[in-house]
């Protein structure tokens, strides 16, 4: 791990799958002060989970950008347990399982409306092979365990009825839409109702938090490149358009990041996945490409007006980083930091599972005081 020169020394790093029993936390008073850096869905979920698992903790979210200015705001919220890279495969599977369990349970409550969560069935297609289709949100696991239900391969007869082909492979499945624009508003309310607080601030260094907080949770996404010097973090540019197409009742997901995902008041149509592209400007060529490809599959969207467009930079990384790090700053000041970033396009899908695991680490640290 590269770190900013002359700023911080990493004393030791403990991954989630390792025990933190050897880590002794020392703080003044009876209240643990926890700072969450980042106000996207990863930061908000981590904060709310900590409040639940460590009720006595005093939790503050520190962020320069909030709400509609975060990457999470523009996402469609498709619960899509595809390929997830983690240093420990068992960890990644647990993150998915915890998220799926939480969101499915919430889906069948009256609060689902407030959180923007609803069940959605649809289709995945490929002109390549079955492996591609099955990686687009399916694994051979008990029905619903990792978020996907009712998975089945489409027959050749069924595939022949869809436009945009001929398709070699296709599948039907049921999953969840968790609209982040709605869910984040509710998470904000929940966080504040539990006595959480927000601090609108741009951090240049975690050293600014030494002495003010006992534990820091780093959910800075792309900001981790500068905040903790992690140069393995890179942008994955995405662009979508929201269409007024209320007649579209299923999702459609095609390889190469082509998709139509119904939300509550619009259909999110995309997209692209451009690694190391830092541009946040709308691109006419990208829009024309994904609208054309989606119209080949579902021609009626040609008549659907665009109601909103969005560009966002997903925080890519070779593996998701979720681990505890003991950092030493000038003056022998030590700060425990739990990193939780690098989720790429899986931020919504992993948000609650990773948040719960962050909370468990905080809980263990409190018990080790």
């Amino acid at each position: 791990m590269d770190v900013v020169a002359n700023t911080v020394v990493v004393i030791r790093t403990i991954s989630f799958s390792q025990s933190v029993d050897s880590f002794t936390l020392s703080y003044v008073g009876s209240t643990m002060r926890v700072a969450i850096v980042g106000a996207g869905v990863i930061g908000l979920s981590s904060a709310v989970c900590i409040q639940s698992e460590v009720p006595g903790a005093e939790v503050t979210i520190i962020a320069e950008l909030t709400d509609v200015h975060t990457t999470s705001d523009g996402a469609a919220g498709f619960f899509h347990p595809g390929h997830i890279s983690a240093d420990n495969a068992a960890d990644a599977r647990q993150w998915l399982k915890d998220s799926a369990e939480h969101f499915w349970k919430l889906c069948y409550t009256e609060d689902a409306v407030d959180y923007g969560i609803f069940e959605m069935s649809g289709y995945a297609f490929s002109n390549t092979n079955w492996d591609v289709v099955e990686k687009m949100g399916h694994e051979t696991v008990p029905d619903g365990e990792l978020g996907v239900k009712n998975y089945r391969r489409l027959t050749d007869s069924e595939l022949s009825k869809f436009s945009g082909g001929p398709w070699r492979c296709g599948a039907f499945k049921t999953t969840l839409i968790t609209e982040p624009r709605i869910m984040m508003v509710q998470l904000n309310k929940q966080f504040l109702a539990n006595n959480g607080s927000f601090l609108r601030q741009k951090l240049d260094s975690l050293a600014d938090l030494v002495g003010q907080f006992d534990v820091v949770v780093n959910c800075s996404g792309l900001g981790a490149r500068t905040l903790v010097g992690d140069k393995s973090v890179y942008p994955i540019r995405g662009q979508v358009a929201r269409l007024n197409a209320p007649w579209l009742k299923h999702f459609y997901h095609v390889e190469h990041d082509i998709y139509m995902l119904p939300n509550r008041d619009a259909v999110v149509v995309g997209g692209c996945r451009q690694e190391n592209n830092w541009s946040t400007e709308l691109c006419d060529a990208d829009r024309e490409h994904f609208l054309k490809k989606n119209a080949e599959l579902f021609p009626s969207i040609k008549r659907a007006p665009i109601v909103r467009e969005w560009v966002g930079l997903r925080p890519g990384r070779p593996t998701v980083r979720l681990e505890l790090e003991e950092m030493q700053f000038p003056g022998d000041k030590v700060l425990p930091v739990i990193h939780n970033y690098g989720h790429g396009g899986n931020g919504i899908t992993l948000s609650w599972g990773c948040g719960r695991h962050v909370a468990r680490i905080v809980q263990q640290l409190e018990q080790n005081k």
Side-chain angles (χ1 to χ4, degrees), residues 179-210:
E179 291 191 55
R181 296 196 83 192
I182 300 172
M183 183 169 67
M184 287 174 63
V185 170
Q186 190 63 22
L187 287 173
N188 267 286
K189 291 179 180 178
Q190 187 176 347
F191 173 68
L192 292 172
N194 291 329
N195 298 316
S197 60
F198 281 93
L199 180 59
R200 191 78 173 263
Q201 176 184 343
K202 180 181 179 180
L203 285 177
D204 295 319
S205 170
L206 293 181
D208 298 339
L209 305 181
V210 174

Side-chain angles (χ1 to χ4, degrees), residues 18-314:
Q18 295 175 296
S19 172
V20 301
D21 290 341
S22 63
F23 193 108
T24 302
L25 184 65
S26 176
Y27 55 89
V28 179
S30 59
T31 302
M32 177 188 283
R33 301 165 300 170
V34 181
I36 310 290
V37 180
V41 71
I42 297 295
L44 280 168
S45 298
S46 296
V48 171
C49 286
I50 290 170
Q51 288 176 324
S52 175
E53 298 287 339
V54 191
E58 182 182 287
V59 186
T60 302
I61 294 178
I62 303 172
E64 180 184 16
L65 301 176
T66 60
D67 302 327
V68 298
H69 302 291
T70 67
T71 301
S72 305
D73 173 71
F78 188 46
F79 194 95
H80 174 62
H83 178 67
I84 295 169
S85 295
D87 291 329
N88 185 299
D91 288 353
R93 190 180 185 87
Q94 191 65 48
W95 300 336
L96 272 176
K97 187 174 181 180
D98 285 351
S99 283
E101 179 180 307
H102 172 73
F103 289 134
W104 274 113
K105 182 178 180 180
L106 195 55
C107 180
Y108 296 126
T109 70
E110 62 178 297
D111 293 333
V113 176
D114 297 328
Y115 284 89
I117 297 178
F118 56 93
E119 192 170 355
M120 174 67 65
S121 295
Y123 302 89
F125 299 99
S126 171
N127 278 320
T128 309
N129 55 60
W130 283 106
D131 286 342
V132 173
V133 171
E134 294 183 346
K135 286 178 181 176
M136 290 160 63
H138 170 73
E139 292 184 55
T140 307
V141 295
D143 199 46
E145 182 175 306
L146 298 185
V148 174
K149 296 182 178 181
N150 305 323
Y151 180 91
R152 68 175 181 85
R153 290 185 173 189
L154 298 178
T155 65
D156 290 341
S157 176
E158 289 174 312
L159 284 170
S160 68
K161 294 179 173 63
F162 289 93
S163 301
W167 299 106
R168 291 184 59 191
C169 315
F172 175 88
K173 59 188 176 182
T174 302
T175 186
L176 292 164
I177 297 292
T178 53
E179 291 191 55
R181 296 196 83 192
I182 300 172
M183 183 169 67
M184 287 174 63
V185 170
Q186 190 63 22
L187 287 173
N188 267 286
K189 291 179 180 178
Q190 187 176 347
F191 173 68
L192 292 172
N194 291 329
N195 298 316
S197 60
F198 281 93
L199 180 59
R200 191 78 173 263
Q201 176 184 343
K202 180 181 179 180
L203 285 177
D204 295 319
S205 170
L206 293 181
D208 298 339
L209 305 181
V210 174
Q212 299 184 52
F213 296 94
D214 305 302
V215 180
V216 171
V217 183
N218 175 21
C219 304
S220 58
L222 274 177
R225 282 182 62 89
T226 55
L227 188 63
V228 294
D230 188 348
K231 301 307 181 184
S232 69
V233 179
Y234 59 92
I236 306 173
R237 182 182 176 276
Q239 179 173 328
V240 300
R242 292 178 180 265
L243 307 186
N244 183 14
W247 58 86
L248 201 152
K249 304 298 185 183
H250 291 84
F251 69 78
Y252 296 86
H253 187 201
V254 185
E255 59 189 328
H256 309 307
D257 279 276
I258 299 299
Y259 50 81
M260 292 175 281
L261 306 172
N263 276 195
R264 184 179 296 183
D265 58 2
V267 176
V268 180
V269 178
C272 57
R273 184 181 176 85
Q274 300 165 351
E275 297 187 0
N276 294 304
N277 184 343
W278 287 92
S279 174
T280 56
E281 300 296 319
L282 291 170
C283 174
D284 293 341
D286 288 335
R287 180 197 310 111
E288 291 170 7
H289 172 73
F290 64 68
L291 287 178
K292 177 178 179 292
K293 288 295 184 182
N294 278 295
E296 290 174 358
L297 177 62
F298 212 86
S300 66
I301 68 164
K302 292 178 182 179
R303 298 190 180 185
I306 296 176
V307 296
R308 183 190 175 209
E309 294 186 88
W310 175 86
V311 174
L313 304 179
R314 311 173 184 101

Side-chain angles (χ1 to χ4, degrees), residues 7-9 11 207 210-211 326-336:
T7 301
V8 59
V9 175
I11 302 174
V210 174
E326 187 175 14
M327 306 179 78
Q328 182 175 317
F329 296 88
D332 293 329
K333 298 175 181 178
V334 175
L335 184 67

